[in-house]
C-alpha cells in the first residue's frame, strides 16, 4: 500500500536539511506534505486522491498557493507512488 507516513516526512525533512535548504523552506515543504498526509487520513495515495486534494485546495486558496503546495509534495509523493527507495532529487 502506498501511503505518506511520518517516517517519509522525516526522511524528506532530513533530505532538505542535507540539501542546505533554508529553515523557512524546510518548514513550508514539511508543512505542505504533512497537511496532505493528514488529509489522506491513512488512505492510499493514488492519482485520484492527488486530484481530489488539489481540488480541495483550489476551493480554499489562490492558484499560486495551490501550485506551490502541489510542488512541495511532488518529491515524496512520486517516491511513494513509484514504490522506489526514498531518494529525493531536485527536478
Amino acid at each position: 500500500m502506498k501511503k505518506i507516513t511520518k517516517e517519509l516526512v522525516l526522511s524528506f525533512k532530513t533530505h532538505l536539511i542535507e540539501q542546505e535548504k533554508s529553515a523557512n523552506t524546510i518548514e513550508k515543504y514539511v508543512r505542505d506534505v504533512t497537511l496532505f498526509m493528514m488529509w489522506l487520513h491513512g488512505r492510499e495515495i493514488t492519482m485520484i486522491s492527488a486530484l481530489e486534494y488539489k481540488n480541495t485546495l483550489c476551493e480554499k486558496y489562490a492558484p499560486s498557493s495551490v501550485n506551490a503546495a502541489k510542488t512541495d509534495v511532488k518529491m515524496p509523493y512520486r517516491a511513494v507512488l513509484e514504490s522506489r527507495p526514498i531518494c529525493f532529487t531536485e527536478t
Side-chain angles (χ1 to χ4, degrees):
M1 190 173 286
K2 301 166 186 168
K3 296 181 180 182
I4 294 178
T5 63
K6 290 180 183 180
E7 292 80 15
L8 177 72
V9 175
L10 289 174
S11 293
F12 182 50
K13 182 177 181 178
T14 299
H15 167 74
L16 295 171
I17 292 168
E18 290 170 353
Q19 294 294 310
E20 299 181 357
K21 301 294 184 188
S22 74
N24 288 340
T25 297
I26 293 169
E27 180 184 338
K28 182 184 181 319
Y29 287 6
V30 169
R31 180 178 58 240
D32 286 343
V33 172
T34 300
L35 288 172
F36 183 41
M37 179 184 70
M38 291 170 55
W39 180 86
L40 286 167
H41 295 290
R43 292 181 294 156
E44 185 173 349
I45 300 170
T46 64
M47 290 307 295
I48 292 171
S49 65
L51 290 172
E52 289 173 349
Y53 183 63
K54 178 185 168 198
N55 289 336
T56 299
L57 293 177
C58 286
E59 294 171 3
K60 298 179 181 181
Y61 303 105
S64 59
S65 296
V66 172
N67 288 334
K70 198 170 62 172
T71 299
D72 295 347
V73 301
K74 180 174 66 174
M75 289 185 285
Y77 173 71
R78 185 181 308 147
V80 171
L81 267 184
E82 295 176 2
S83 298
R84 303 183 300 191
I86 300 169
C87 177
F88 300 104
T89 57
E90 292 189 359
T91 56

